[in-house]
Amino acid sequence: MTKSTNAHYYAPGHSGCPGCGPSNCMIQVTDAIGKDAIIVNATGCIEINSSLYPNSAWRLPYIHVLFENTASVAAGVSAALKAKGNNHTKVVVTAGDGATYDIGFGAVSGMFERNDDVLYICYDNELYANTGVQRSGATPYGAATTTSFVGKEVRGKQTQKKPIVEIAAMHRIPYAASASIAYPQDLKMKIEKALKHEGAKFITVNSPCCLGAGFDGSISIKVARLAVQSRLWFLFEYENDEFKLNFNPEQKLPVKEYLSLQKRFAHLNEKEIALIQKQADLNYGRIKKLCGIK
């Protein structure tokens, strides 16, 4: 929130659903970034919701780019600013998980490898929301989507989501992190920390989609918080070649409490829920080890 205008840089009036997780994410992200920034936005639900001609929800300079080349365009914008002697304006990508984990992944990897001076924010709603709720590389195990059906043999998505923060970190970029819209101070701290680094930065933000996951928009923050508390989403960061866990869900909530709120998991039986619980606990152990916690 800016003190002078009492307004957000991501304005009201966009066409996101009531309780839209990604829209909440954009409000938090742009307010943390401030006005001296250029937004490079991949095709996705935020692009559809925010830029319906002749209207725009953006109170920052804005470029809409395709799924597959957002990171490349952002790298070019950053290079052009520096060629003009501008070393202060921040270049920020906002992209969904489809553009990040899947379609644009090659360009993202290239941006990391070149260490282009860009902050890349992924609003991860774990599916392709604007094209009909298809599964993405971020969709969790067991979730039903329009391309991960539920039948007698196949019970939703059958593979785990990609460990995108670890993948980003293995490029040896200056900063990478995982955050959630349910923990705004943690997200703000990570954005401010990332922007202090020159080079490529990456933050993925859990931003649940009420329409795609099948829950009422009034509980979007509750769903996001339960994901963290039940070890299905972790708040951690990578900086100076070290990982750090920012919130330790030592006293976990059962995954069933999180799963039961969403229609995409309504088909799961007790055996399948137990399998997800086991995987969540294994991932917790893996993250603790990564962060040097015994």
Side-chain angles (χ1 to χ4, degrees), residues 15-47:
S15 60
C17 300
C20 171
S23 296
N24 183 296
C25 178
M26 287 305 103
I27 292 170
Q28 295 189 45
V29 166
T30 53
D31 284 352
I33 291 168
K35 65 179 181 181
D36 189 13
I38 296 174
I39 300 294
V40 184
N41 182 205
T43 294
C45 56
I46 282 296
E47 172 262 324

Side-chain angles (χ1 to χ4, degrees), residues 124-260:
D124 187 348
N125 58 9
E126 302 187 319
L127 45 82
Y128 286 84
N130 71 309
T131 54
V133 192
Q134 295 90 359
R135 58 93 88 187
S136 77
T139 301
Y141 176 86
T145 70
T146 55
T147 51
S148 56
F149 306 110
V150 176
K152 291 183 180 179
E153 301 298 328
V154 178
R155 308 276 296 167
K157 190 187 175 194
Q158 296 297 291
T159 56
Q160 304 290 333
K161 66 185 300 174
K162 293 180 185 177
I164 196 70
V165 174
E166 294 95 312
I167 292 171
M170 289 304 99
H171 287 74
R172 297 292 187 262
I173 60 176
Y175 187 82
S178 172
S180 166
I181 61 168
Y183 294 82
Q185 290 305 315
D186 177 79
L187 173 57
K188 184 173 185 286
M189 177 272 291
K190 286 171 177 169
I191 290 171
E192 291 174 348
K193 186 181 285 190
L195 289 173
K196 291 179 181 176
H197 290 280
E198 183 166 352
K201 291 82 66 174
F202 177 79
I203 302 175
T204 186
V205 187
N206 181 231
S207 311
C209 172
C210 49
L211 183 65
F215 60 84
D216 191 278
S218 64
I219 63 168
S220 294
I221 298 299
K222 179 180 180 180
V223 170
R225 187 179 298 114
L226 282 175
V228 174
Q229 294 174 337
S230 58
R231 301 177 176 176
L232 291 169
W233 186 272
F234 297 98
L235 306 182
F236 69 109
E237 61 186 343
Y238 168 85
E239 186 178 28
N240 299 324
D241 217 24
E242 292 185 356
F243 287 92
K244 179 183 179 182
L245 188 60
N246 306 108
F247 174 79
N248 188 348
E250 200 166 13
Q251 303 298 321
K252 68 179 180 184
L253 294 178
V255 297
K256 190 174 185 177
E257 192 169 335
Y258 167 80
L259 301 174
S260 64

Side-chain angles (χ1 to χ4, degrees), residues 267-283:
H267 59 280
L268 296 176
N269 57 37
E270 292 298 324
K271 183 179 179 181
E272 290 162 338
I273 292 173
L275 183 62
I276 293 173
Q277 182 69 68
K278 181 181 179 181
Q279 189 59 52
D281 294 341
L282 286 172
N283 283 336

Side-chain angles (χ1 to χ4, degrees), residues 37-58:
I38 296 174
I39 300 294
V40 184
N41 182 205
T43 294
C45 56
I46 282 296
E47 172 262 324
I48 297 295
N49 293 338
S50 68
S51 57
L52 287 171
Y53 182 82
N55 301 311
S56 173
W58 299 95

